[in-house]
């Protein structure tokens, strides 16, 4: 095939892709306004908080501590404190029980996941003065596992609407970091963060008429890949031998979801006649820009006791979806400014190579609204019109995590950290109450040589 | 994937430039000085200036890390097995940068950190090459120099005395041998 034919073929394929895409946007126009918000809420990339064994057990208050490979997450300037080559590896087991109550109908769906949480390596260069350390790590920062089932009788539709979602996926970050001492008391560092992930979900929206024998189901099968880039700059101030302060600025993160999907629409009328639409294949090219974040922390060491605290501010209202701010017509903005904070304490046992830790962290919801229920209005194959009830919610139970952990040193080179975090979050709208209870157990090991 | 923001790239480049060309504090390689030390108070070794306690002084005091954790958190890997307390007498070897420094019995390191603490446990690194370190600047350095000089003198005097005694003994032995002959 010569070059000319290749160009013509590519142009035709592009037009075909664009036409399919525009077709599906038209079809689901009523709901497309909130698709960006839905994805942001479900895929989990706004909730990349608390990673790591020791760091998590301190509630994530690690910006001014950061003296292990998790400096790559919390404060790259903290890398300068690492004096030995380090290999670190961790696994986790997480559970997330989601219970929904829509219009008096209760459903409890347990979700769980297990896997590798991080793999890192750190190399401190030999120095005569100061410190220069490079690090690289792969971190699982969030997962997109989600499963829910909502069902309700809708008097206005004279039937029962059911929504189900079954979603799996992970979000990883590849972090390349460097830290350098720029004065006896100040260290600086930077991270280049490459986002990577994948997610897939099947969503069904079905309706069953109460009196007539009619039924239909709209099914969406989506598979997407995540790519993204961001950067972080950190500073660590050694104010005294015991007191430190840390600062981290995260640049906006540019995320891109690319993938493909297929939609089906099947049903039957009350007279028994049925329909099955041809599957719609379409491409997904969604882009998100997450806003800058500012994080600060202090730590104080008194003998065998380490105390630390962190705060992180982010104006999530600046989040963009395909170049526009996320919003929903009637509800307006769907995100808000947040201030996360956390505290931690660590006690080093005097006569045994072990440490006991406890932490607390508060992570307010980034969203102020959520989808209550989706349904199809006027169910005919010619006019598919998916509608969504999107509503502002009240927070009943704040998203707080309590962490406990223990760490031990074996033969002076191998450190093991075990952490258990528990928390919950509850929000409600007029018709829907959603409660999430989560636990995360992580085991982290690091070898220094 | 979305096109990368040019401002982001600029920021990235600027930061990388600052980090890796600053060299304002962190020193990877010690300046090489070819000349032999001319005076007693000149430094013989890099570790004269950059002793481990001076190095550790920027971090949590060792007290905060009980002995069991000290090696894991504080001891740099390139310092190998040098004892930062300066109190061990066993022969140890350590790789510092790209050079090897052999520490033998009766050698001592003049460690500013220790001396500043008021309990000079002076040792001197026997040089294996002709390098000597450059000197610090400022009044603190002058004080240290005087103190180091005093401690070095003391050590050298005792060393000289020992050497003299040894040489006397050797002469005795030699003369004894001669007599036997």
């Amino acid at each position: 095939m010569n070059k000319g034919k290749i160009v013509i073929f590519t142009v035709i394929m592009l037009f075909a892709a664009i036409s399919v895409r525009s077709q599906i946007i038209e079809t689901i126009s009523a709901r497309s306004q909130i698709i960006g918000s839905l994805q942001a809420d479900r895929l989990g990339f706004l909730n990349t908080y608390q990673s790591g064994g020791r760091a998590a057990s301190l509630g994530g208050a690690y910006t001014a501590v950061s003296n292990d490979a998790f400096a790559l997450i919390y404060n790259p300037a903290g890398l300068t404190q690492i004096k030995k080559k380090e290999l670190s590896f961790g696994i986790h087991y997480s559970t997330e029980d989601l219970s929904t109550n829509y219009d008096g109908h209760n459903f409890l769906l347990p979700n769980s996941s297990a896997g590798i949480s991080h793999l890192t390596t750190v190399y401190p260069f030999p120095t005569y003065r100061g410190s220069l350390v490079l690090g690289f790590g792969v971190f699982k920062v969030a997962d997109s596992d989600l499963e829910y089932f909502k069902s309700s009788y809708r008097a206005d539709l004279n039937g029962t609407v059911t929504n189900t979602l079954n979603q799996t996926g992970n979000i990883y970050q590849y972090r390349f970091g460097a830290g350098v001492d720029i004065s006896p008391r100040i260290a600086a560092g930077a991270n280049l963060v490459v986002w990577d992930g994948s997610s897939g979900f099947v969503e069904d929206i079905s309706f069953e008429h109460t009196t007539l024998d009619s039924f239909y189901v709209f099914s969406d099968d989506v598979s997407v890949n995540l790519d993204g880039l961001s950067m972080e700059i950190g500073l660590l101030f050694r104010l005294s031998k015991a007191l430190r302060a840390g600062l981290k600025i995260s640049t906006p993160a540019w995320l891109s979801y690319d993938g493909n999907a297929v939609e089906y629409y099947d049903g039957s009328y009350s007279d028994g006649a049925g329909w099955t639409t041809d599957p719609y294949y379409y491409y997904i090219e969604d882009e998100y820009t997450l806003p800058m974040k500012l994080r600060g922390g202090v730590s104080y060491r008194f003998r065998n006791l380490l105390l630390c605290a962190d705060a992180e501010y982010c104006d999530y209202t600046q989040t963009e979806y395909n170049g526009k701010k996320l919003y929903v017509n009637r509800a307006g903005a769907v995100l808000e400014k947040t201030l996360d904070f956390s505290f931690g304490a660590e006690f080093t046992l005097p006569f045994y190579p072990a440490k006991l830790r406890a932490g607390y962290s508060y992570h307010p919801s980034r969203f102020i609204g959520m989808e209550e229920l989706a349904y199809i209005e006027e169910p005919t194959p010619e006019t598919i019109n998916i509608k969504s009830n999107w509503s502002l919610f009240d927070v009943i139970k704040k998203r707080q995590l309590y962490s406990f952990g223990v760490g031990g040193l074996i033969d002076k080179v191998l450190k093991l950290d075990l952490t258990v975090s528990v928390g919950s979050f509850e929000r409600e709208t007029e018709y829907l109450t959603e409660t999430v209870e989560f636990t995360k157990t992580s085991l982290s090991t690091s070898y220094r040589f | 994937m979305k096109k990368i923001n040019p401002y982001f790239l600029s920021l990235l480049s600027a930061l990388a430039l600052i980090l890796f060309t600053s060299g304002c504090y962190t020193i990877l390689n010690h300046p090489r000085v070819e000349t032999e030390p001319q005076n007693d108070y000149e430094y013989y070794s890099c570790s004269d200036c950059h002793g481990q306690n001076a190095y550790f002084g920027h971090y949590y005091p060792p007290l905060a890390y009980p002995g069991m954790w000290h090696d894991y958190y504080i001891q740099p890997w390139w310092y190998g097995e040098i004892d930062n307390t300066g109190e061990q007498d066993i022969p140890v070897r350590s790789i510092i940068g790209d050079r090897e420094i052999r520490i033998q019995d009766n050698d001592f390191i003049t460690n500013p950190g220790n001396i500043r603490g008021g309990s000079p446990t002076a040792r001197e690194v026997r040089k294996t090459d002709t390098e000597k370190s450059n000197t610090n600047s400022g009044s603190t350095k002058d004080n240290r120099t005087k103190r180091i000089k005093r401690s070095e003198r003391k050590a050298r005097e005792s060393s000289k005395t020992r050497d003299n005694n040894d040489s006397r003994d050797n002469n005795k032995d030699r003369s004894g041998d001669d007599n036997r002959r």
Side-chain angles (χ1 to χ4, degrees), chain A residues 231-250:
Chain A
M231 193 183 157
E232 294 167 349
I233 299 165
L235 288 171
L236 185 70
F237 305 95
R238 292 180 277 265
L239 304 175
S240 72
K241 284 186 175 179
L243 182 65
R244 294 169 176 217
L247 183 70
K248 188 182 82 168
I249 299 167
S250 305

Side-chain angles (χ1 to χ4, degrees), chain B residues 74-163:
Chain B
I74 293 185
Q75 188 91 318
W77 66 267
W78 59 96
Y79 270 51
E81 297 123 3
I82 292 179
D83 180 9
N84 80 306
T85 61
E87 291 170 353
Q88 68 177 24
D89 294 324
I90 56 171
V92 290
R93 286 162 66 101
S94 174
I95 305 295
I96 299 184
D98 55 353
R99 297 176 312 153
E100 182 179 273
I101 293 177
R102 180 187 293 273
I103 301 173
Q104 297 180 342
D105 284 334
N106 303 324
D107 287 340
F108 55 89
I109 295 172
T110 49
N111 190 326
N114 278 340
I115 291 167
R116 209 182 312 142
S119 57
T121 54
R123 295 184 176 195
E124 182 182 13
V125 174
R126 176 174 294 169
K127 284 185 56 61
T128 56
D129 56 23
T130 57
E131 286 181 274
K132 67 172 186 178
S133 77
N134 65 343
T135 54
N136 287 330
S137 59
S139 58
T140 313
K141 171 240 157 187
D142 293 334
N143 292 336
R144 275 193 217 154
T145 307
K146 285 173 190 169
R147 289 178 182 180
I148 290 166
K149 190 181 167 187
R150 202 177 303 137
S151 64
E152 280 183 352
R153 247 186 219 159
K154 203 181 280 180
R156 277 159 197 257
E157 281 167 10
S158 63
S159 174
K160 274 180 189 171
T161 314
R162 196 170 56 238
D163 288 342

Side-chain angles (χ1 to χ4, degrees), chain A residues 54 67 80-81 83-85 123-132 178 180-184 188 190 192 227-231 233 238 241-242 244 251 254 256 258 287 289 299 301 303-304 306 348 350-355 408-409 412-413 415 446 448-449, chain B residues 1-5 7-9 11-13 15-16 18-20 22-31 46-47 50 55-80 96-99 101 131 136:
Chain A
R54 184 184 179 218
N67 58 354
T80 55
Q81 302 172 98
K83 300 302 162 202
K84 280 184 161 61
K85 291 168 274 187
Y123 181 81
F125 282 91
T127 55
Y128 280 96
R129 191 178 68 181
S131 180
L132 174 65
V180 62
D181 276 342
I182 57 174
S183 87
L192 181 65
D227 292 298
L229 197 65
S230 61
M231 193 183 157
I233 299 165
R238 292 180 277 265
K241 284 186 175 179
R244 294 169 176 217
T251 67
W254 296 279
S256 170
D258 296 320
E287 289 172 356
T289 305
S299 73
R301 182 179 285 276
R303 296 183 185 277
N304 286 11
L306 171 71
T348 304
F351 306 112
Y352 197 73
K355 294 170 186 261
L409 187 64
K412 293 186 177 180
V413 293
K415 189 161 74 78
S446 45
R448 286 193 179 182
F449 56 101
Chain B
M1 194 175 154
K2 188 175 180 178
K3 202 175 173 183
I4 297 171
N5 191 325
Y7 295 109
F8 176 76
L9 277 180
L11 187 66
L12 183 70
S13 310
L15 191 87
I18 291 167
L19 278 178
F20 295 105
S22 57
C24 53
Y25 180 71
T26 296
I27 298 175
L28 292 181
N29 294 307
H30 198 278
C46 300
S47 57
H50 313 300
Y55 182 85
F56 297 140
H58 307 315
Y59 299 94
Y60 289 144
L63 178 66
Y65 288 101
M68 292 165 283
W69 295 90
H70 180 275
D71 189 68
Y72 184 83
Y73 278 116
I74 293 185
Q75 188 91 318
W77 66 267
W78 59 96
Y79 270 51
I96 299 184
D98 55 353
R99 297 176 312 153
I101 293 177
E131 286 181 274
N136 287 330

Side-chain angles (χ1 to χ4, degrees), chain A residues 170-358:
Chain A
N170 293 306
I171 299 175
Y172 291 95
Q173 287 180 345
Y174 296 85
R175 289 176 168 260
F176 304 85
V180 62
D181 276 342
I182 57 174
S183 87
R185 292 178 181 272
I186 304 173
N191 278 336
L192 181 65
V193 185
V194 178
W195 296 60
D196 182 46
S198 61
S199 182
F201 67 83
V202 176
E203 182 180 20
D204 288 340
I205 301 169
S206 63
F207 173 80
E208 189 172 3
H209 201 281
T210 308
T211 53
L212 304 175
D213 191 18
S214 65
F215 172 82
Y216 59 81
V217 58
F218 174 85
S219 182
D220 196 9
D221 191 344
V222 175
S223 176
V224 287
N225 288 315
L226 166 68
D227 292 298
L229 197 65
S230 61
M231 193 183 157
E232 294 167 349
I233 299 165
L235 288 171
L236 185 70
F237 305 95
R238 292 180 277 265
L239 304 175
S240 72
K241 284 186 175 179
L243 182 65
R244 294 169 176 217
L247 183 70
K248 188 182 82 168
I249 299 167
S250 305
T251 67
W254 296 279
L255 307 184
S256 170
Y257 276 97
D258 296 320
N260 50 59
V262 57
E263 290 185 352
Y264 304 93
Y265 184 44
D266 302 311
S268 62
Y269 294 112
S270 56
D271 60 5
W275 72 85
T276 301
T277 61
D278 290 335
Y280 273 124
Y281 292 93
Y282 62 99
Y283 302 103
I284 295 169
E285 290 177 358
D286 288 333
E287 289 172 356
Y288 289 90
T289 305
L290 310 187
M292 286 183 70
K293 287 180 188 173
L294 184 64
R295 187 180 183 96
V298 291
S299 73
Y300 183 76
R301 182 179 285 276
F302 178 71
R303 296 183 185 277
N304 286 11
L305 183 65
L306 171 71
L307 300 172
C308 47
D310 265 24
E312 181 178 277
Y313 174 78
C314 183
D315 183 357
Y316 283 101
T317 62
Q318 296 175 4
T319 304
E320 290 183 359
Y321 170 64
N322 290 333
K324 293 178 181 172
K325 286 188 179 179
L326 279 173
Y327 71 97
V328 173
N329 272 354
R330 278 184 295 179
V334 294
L335 293 159
E336 65 178 346
K337 301 168 186 172
T338 61
L339 181 67
D340 296 38
F341 54 84
S342 50
F343 305 98
E346 178 184 74
F347 180 72
T348 304
L349 298 182
F351 306 112
Y352 197 73
K355 294 170 186 261
L356 304 176
R357 307 181 185 110

